[in-house]
Amino acid sequence: MNIQNIKTLGDLKKAGYKSVGIKDELRNNLRTKISKGETVFEGVWGFENTVIPELERAILSRHNINLLGLRGQAKTRLARLMVNLLDEYIPFVQGSEINDDPLNPISRFAKSLIEEKGDDTPISWLHRSERFYEKLATPDVTVADLIGDIDPIKAANLKLSYADDRVIHFGMIPRANRCIFVINELPDLQARIQVALFNILQEGDIQIRGFKVRMNLDLQFIFTANPEDYTNRGSIVTPLKDRIGSQILTHYPETVKIARTITEQEANLDGRQSEFIHVPSLAKDLLEQISFEARESEFIDYKSGVSARMSITAFENLLSTAERRALRSGDDKTTVRLSDFMGVIPAITGKVELVYEGEQEGAAVVAEHLISEAVKTLFPDLFPKIEKLEKQNEKGPYQEVIDWFFNESGFELPDDASDKEYKKLLDSIVPLKQLVQKYQPDAPKEDQYFLKEFILWGLSEFKKLSKDRYTEGYQFKDLYGSYISKNL
């Protein structure tokens, strides 16, 4: 159907166009995509066997949907991607405020126009990208905002009494007729406003200021909510929950690999950063592991959740830290270091809610703890596990590194060291190179210095070396030598 040639109601009828409700439209297009084996929700990872099948079943059932999950679980993204299941264009009566279907008009304006002009009624075409409405539920939202109210200015201009339904100003929901309408954070909507949605969801009609307006609106509602909201800020009133067809639980990525894919897809990077900053694979895993540690941490409120946005902003900060360091030292190219992870702390502190909210410094201490825990978790996956108790006279795999520190006074790794200085410092600890070659022989050459630094951090987390932060970097020492010097 060439829409360029269809400009009137008569042309539309001749073309054999048939009206379809939005829920059937979504259902029909989803059936086609599933039959062809096409990916319906592009760019959403980790939901393939959990959330997406449930969402597809809800669409096939023609349900209004509530996506329930903690923050940063792609709820709004899923809702926005549903636009791709709509027809590319739909016709509507030209000039209609509520996208009236020419073959099934519901507003007084459209009915009067069709009665007057018949098959000559002008029509326009609405692209699917314009069929998505989104409203964040806040306590100040009113019934007038969502549904509509009497407009005194319109009444004065048209010289109509308030008893005439032409003085009604339509709110967001009627204007979203034949569209997807999303209400984010539904529990934040006041109970009396939620009650105003009952009729729209069940019967599809609206009532404004006592007017008996029987308008059979055609809408696909999607709501999003955070389980925390049910107890803290408000709740979804029971009759409204009863009218929502499907409630679907979302979740965080279940593996580091999936989390990495999401972060790399969503991170907003400058092309120059990608060109001259190399990010070792282990650094990416470590970054994601921080979020996994945060979700399990006793210091962080699990009901609030740890958004996927934390990893995304932390990754951006990590690259910016390496970029700033390289610019200061005059390096043309650089590789992310473990010490660069101190630069991600501001991205963590703003994204987590502590169980016991105290001094602002508390969040930074927790962030450092999360980085340490992430190192601790990943270390046994790459290098031999460090046992708490070792057999006497048995030489462990890390003994040569520990001996090196016992014989030396200490080792400092400045944050702003140039790449040349950084490599020279790590090369001075010869046993580190031997450990990397033995246990990670296939590691890319450019990742090897990150692995060397990772070993030092791992040994300090497992209490084989001491690691202290000073103004300009980190200092590593023999654990017992450090202990003795402190007590002299």
Side-chain angles (χ1 to χ4, degrees):
M1 186 191 298
N2 188 354
I3 64 168
Q4 302 294 327
N5 302 328
I6 300 173
K7 296 180 179 177
T8 65
L9 177 57
D11 294 337
L12 193 67
K13 288 177 180 176
K14 285 177 191 173
Y17 180 83
K18 290 184 180 179
S19 296
V20 179
I22 187 169
K23 286 184 168 69
D24 284 309
E25 187 183 333
L26 290 163
R27 172 184 159 80
N28 294 341
N29 291 330
L30 177 60
R31 279 173 54 89
T32 303
K33 281 185 174 285
I34 292 173
S35 299
K36 291 181 178 177
E38 294 177 14
T39 302
V40 180
F41 296 94
E42 291 278 357
V44 176
W45 305 98
F47 288 175
E48 296 83 358
N49 302 311
T50 52
V51 177
I52 289 173
E54 290 189 5
L55 188 54
E56 290 176 349
R57 285 192 284 268
I59 294 167
L60 292 172
S61 299
R62 295 187 284 259
H63 285 173
N64 291 312
I65 299 162
N66 181 26
L67 295 170
L68 182 65
L70 296 170
R71 58 185 176 181
Q73 289 186 351
K75 299 186 294 293
T76 306
R77 175 182 278 270
L78 285 170
R80 288 173 181 165
L81 287 171
M82 277 180 65
V83 170
N84 297 326
L85 290 172
L86 296 170
D87 292 342
E88 188 173 6
Y89 287 96
I90 58 164
F92 69 99
V93 176
Q94 198 172 91
S96 168
E97 289 180 278
I98 62 168
N99 307 318
D100 273 287
D101 182 344
L103 301 177
N104 186 25
I106 58 173
S107 73
R108 176 163 175 166
F109 165 82
K111 287 176 180 176
S112 301
L113 189 65
I114 290 171
E115 193 176 322
E116 179 193 334
K117 297 198 172 183
D119 284 353
D120 291 329
T121 303
I123 67 166
S124 294
W125 291 84
L126 190 67
H127 190 258
R128 62 181 162 219
S129 62
E130 298 176 86
R131 295 176 66 194
F132 182 86
Y133 285 72
E134 191 175 351
K135 178 65 180 168
L136 177 64
T138 52
D140 62 332
V141 173
T142 64
V143 174
D145 293 335
L146 291 179
I147 298 173
D149 205 347
I150 292 168
D151 186 346
I153 297 171
K154 188 184 279 189
N157 288 342
L158 297 175
K159 296 181 180 177
L160 298 169
S161 77
Y162 285 174
D164 195 306
D165 64 359
R166 283 174 291 179
V167 303
I168 291 173
H169 171 78
F170 293 116
M172 284 187 74
I173 290 176
R175 289 173 184 274
N177 183 40
R178 303 173 75 202
C179 299
I180 294 170
F181 193 87
V182 179
I183 298 182
N184 282 316
E185 309 302 341
L186 180 61
D188 284 351
L189 208 60
Q190 291 182 45
R192 64 185 179 82
I193 314 296
Q194 293 184 36
V195 170
L197 299 175
F198 288 0
N199 260 36
I200 297 171
L201 265 79
Q202 194 66 37
E203 285 81 28
D205 63 8
I206 58 168
Q207 295 176 8
I208 298 172
R209 291 279 182 178
F211 279 107
K212 193 178 178 182
V213 186
R214 287 289 177 191
M215 296 177 67
N216 192 21
L217 296 173
D218 183 24
L219 287 153
Q220 170 66 55
F221 276 102
I222 302 172
F223 304 101
T224 73
N226 187 320
E228 177 200 11
D229 297 338
Y230 286 140
T231 53
N232 281 17
R233 296 201 295 264
S235 64
I236 301 175
V237 295
T238 308
L240 181 59
K241 276 200 285 186
D242 186 51
R243 286 166 166 80
I244 299 170
S246 290
Q247 179 168 280
I248 298 167
L249 297 175
T250 57
H251 57 82
Y252 287 121
E254 292 172 347
T255 66
V256 166
K257 185 179 178 183
I258 293 169
R260 264 182 66 166
T261 304
I262 295 168
T263 299
E264 287 171 15
Q265 174 182 282
E266 299 298 320
N268 182 22
L269 304 178
D270 184 322
R272 287 168 294 184
Q273 288 179 320
S274 304
E275 284 171 19
F276 87 98
I277 301 170
H278 171 68
V279 186
S281 179
L282 175 56
K284 293 178 182 178
D285 287 348
L286 191 61
L287 188 82
E288 301 303 337
Q289 188 62 38
I290 293 168
S291 294
F292 281 78
E293 298 295 338
R295 289 172 195 138
E296 298 294 325
S297 174
E298 61 182 324
F299 302 114
I300 291 168
D301 185 359
Y302 73 92
K303 290 185 295 182
S304 175
V306 178
S307 168
R309 286 184 281 272
M310 188 179 92
S311 294
I312 296 162
T313 52
F315 186 61
E316 292 165 354
N317 261 20
L318 183 64
L319 265 70
S320 297
T321 305
E323 180 182 28
R324 178 179 177 276
R325 169 176 50 73
L327 290 170
R328 283 167 64 92
S329 60
D331 289 324
D332 295 329
K333 287 192 174 183
T334 191
T335 298
V336 163
R337 303 171 189 173
L338 226 162
S339 48
D340 291 335
F341 273 75
M342 288 302 103
V344 310
I345 288 175
I348 298 171
T349 54
K351 297 284 193 298
V352 297
E353 290 187 32
L354 303 185
V355 175
Y356 304 107
E357 201 66 63
E359 296 288 329
Q360 282 300 309
E361 290 83 356
V365 172
V366 170
E368 286 187 46
H369 173 73
L370 294 176
I371 295 169
S372 297
E373 288 299 306
V375 170
K376 223 171 164 180
T377 301
L378 292 184
F379 192 83
D381 295 341
L382 292 111
F383 297 99
K385 188 177 179 183
I386 299 174
E387 302 292 344
K388 283 186 180 178
L389 295 172
E390 293 176 341
K391 292 178 183 176
Q392 266 190 333
N393 304 320
E394 188 175 302
K395 193 176 179 183
Y398 306 104
Q399 194 58 50
E400 288 186 26
V401 178
I402 295 164
D403 289 344
W404 187 93
F405 278 91
F406 183 78
N407 295 322
E408 298 292 328
S409 58
F411 175 82
E412 290 182 356
L413 206 55
D415 290 340
D416 288 341
S418 68
D419 265 29
K420 188 177 178 182
E421 291 167 356
Y422 172 74
K423 289 175 182 178
K424 186 180 177 183
L425 284 165
L426 287 172
D427 283 341
S428 68
I429 310 172
V430 178
L432 288 179
K433 184 178 181 180
Q434 295 164 353
L435 281 169
V436 171
Q437 287 176 342
K438 185 174 180 180
Y439 296 106
Q440 293 298 318
D442 300 324
K445 188 179 178 183
E446 57 269 30
D447 290 12
Q448 288 183 5
Y449 286 94
F450 188 88
L451 286 165
K452 288 180 180 182
E453 192 181 357
F454 182 70
I455 293 170
L456 295 181
W457 278 62
L459 290 173
S460 70
E461 296 308 329
F462 285 100
K463 310 299 180 195
K464 296 295 179 182
L465 295 176
S466 74
K467 171 170 64 69
D468 295 303
R469 179 76 185 163
Y470 69 101
T471 313
E472 296 169 2
Y474 279 99
Q475 185 178 59
F476 295 88
K477 286 183 179 180
D478 168 65
L479 186 67
Y480 299 107
S482 171
Y483 178 77
I484 292 164
S485 64
K486 282 179 185 175
N487 289 277
L488 283 176

